[in-house]
C-alpha cells in the first residue's frame, strides 16, 4: 500500500506499465521516495517482435532501502 514501511535492505518491486495507442513501453522510471529521486526499472518478460509493439510490459526494480 502507498506509504507502507519496509525493513532496511534490498527491496524488489515489480509491476506492469501500460502505454496508450498500442505503442511499445520503452522505459519505466520508479520513485521510492515520493518523487525526490528516480530509478530506471528493468523491463522483463517477452519483448515484441521488431516492427510490432504491445501496449504493456512487465518490469522490476531491485533497490536498496535505508
Amino acid at each position: 500500500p502507498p506509504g507502507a514501511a519496509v525493513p532496511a535492505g534490498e527491496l524488489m518491486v515489480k509491476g506492469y506499465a501500460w502505454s496508450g495507442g498500442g505503442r511499445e513501453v520503452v522505459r519505466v522510471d520508479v520513485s521510492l521516495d515520493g518523487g525526490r529521486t528516480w530509478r530506471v526499472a528493468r523491463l522483463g518478460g517477452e519483448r515484441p517482435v521488431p516492427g510490432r509493439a504491445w501496449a504493456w510490459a512487465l518490469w522490476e526494480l531491485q533497490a536498496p532501502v535505508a
Side-chain angles (χ1 to χ4, degrees), residues 3-62:
V6 295
E10 289 287 316
L11 177 68
M12 176 65 76
V13 184
K14 298 180 180 184
Y16 67 92
W18 183 269
S19 71
R23 292 182 296 269
E24 179 182 2
V25 175
V26 295
R27 178 176 161 157
V28 175
D29 296 319
V30 179
S31 176
L32 299 175
D33 58 10
R36 287 189 301 268
T37 61
W38 294 87
R39 296 176 180 268
V40 177
R42 184 178 73 80
L43 294 175
E46 295 181 35
R47 302 303 300 149
V49 175
R52 296 182 67 188
W54 297 331
W56 62 274
L58 298 173
W59 60 265
E60 64 182 27
L61 173 70
Q62 186 161 355

